[in-house]
Amino acid sequence: MNASIEADAKWLAVAIDLATANVEAGGGPFGAVIVGAGELVSTGQNRVTHDIDPTAHAEVMAIRAACRQVGNHSLAGYTLYSSCEPCPLCLSATLWARIDRIVFAADRHDAAVGGFDDRAFYELFDKPRHEWDVPVQQHRLDQAFLPFLTWLGNSDRVQY
């Protein structure tokens, strides 16, 4: 087994252990770790019901902790290991964090069998918005661009 495959297996096992321990503690079956230069930077467990926060997914929790740990909103150069395929929320958070690589164990089909049907969200994003059950509408005001204009005029802004 090559070093990369061994490292992936090691960190995925940690994520799976975190997910299993979280279930045993009354939480959801998801765990994640972020690794940089072969070292553990952060961990995350699903805290949705514990924190009463629908965004407190394991991957998001790991990203938040890693950003605090490294002191930057960018996690370029890091890898996210997750016990399960990231849902669209977590995938988006990972992309915004500029994480270089995502490795997961179970997939969205396993999650569906376990009672977490993320497939519905993946399928929703494939539909035109006018076909969604939840209306997503623009109501453009004259000053709609003002926050961006202010942003562009701020010479001290931190680029994303």
Side-chain angles (χ1 to χ4, degrees):
M1 189 181 295
N2 76 34
S4 177
I5 293 172
E6 279 185 29
D8 286 352
K10 171 187 170 180
W11 295 118
L12 284 172
V14 173
I16 292 168
D17 288 346
L18 284 166
T20 304
N22 200 48
V23 171
E24 292 168 351
F30 303 98
V33 298
I34 294 180
V35 175
E39 299 294 321
L40 180 67
V41 176
S42 70
T43 64
Q45 293 170 299
N46 181 283
R47 307 283 294 178
V48 170
T49 57
H50 181 273
D51 293 355
I52 311 171
D53 178 354
T55 68
H57 292 202
E59 297 89 341
V60 172
M61 301 304 286
I63 289 167
R64 291 173 181 166
C67 287
R68 284 191 300 272
Q69 180 68 26
V70 303
N72 198 317
H73 65 277
S74 173
L75 297 174
Y78 295 84
T79 299
L80 168 76
Y81 291 94
S82 181
S83 63
C84 189
E85 181 179 6
C87 72
L89 167 75
C90 296
L91 182 58
S92 295
T94 303
L95 296 172
W96 274 110
R98 309 294 193 244
I99 289 175
D100 282 8
R101 188 167 171 250
I102 302 165
V103 183
F104 59 89
D107 65 18
R108 67 182 80 170
H109 308 291
D110 297 316
V113 171
F116 296 85
D117 200 353
D118 299 344
R119 291 179 302 184
F121 295 117
Y122 282 103
E123 291 167 3
L124 177 67
F125 292 131
D126 285 338
K127 292 181 181 180
R129 283 194 181 166
H130 69 273
E131 293 180 16
W132 291 17
D133 291 336
V134 175
V136 178
Q137 303 165 318
Q138 181 180 24
H139 183 104
R140 188 161 187 96
L141 301 177
D142 290 342
Q143 67 272 31
F145 193 74
L146 183 59
F148 297 106
L149 190 58
T150 305
W151 167 258
L152 292 170
N154 180 357
S155 61
D156 294 329
R157 69 181 179 267
V158 176
Q159 294 295 334
Y160 285 54

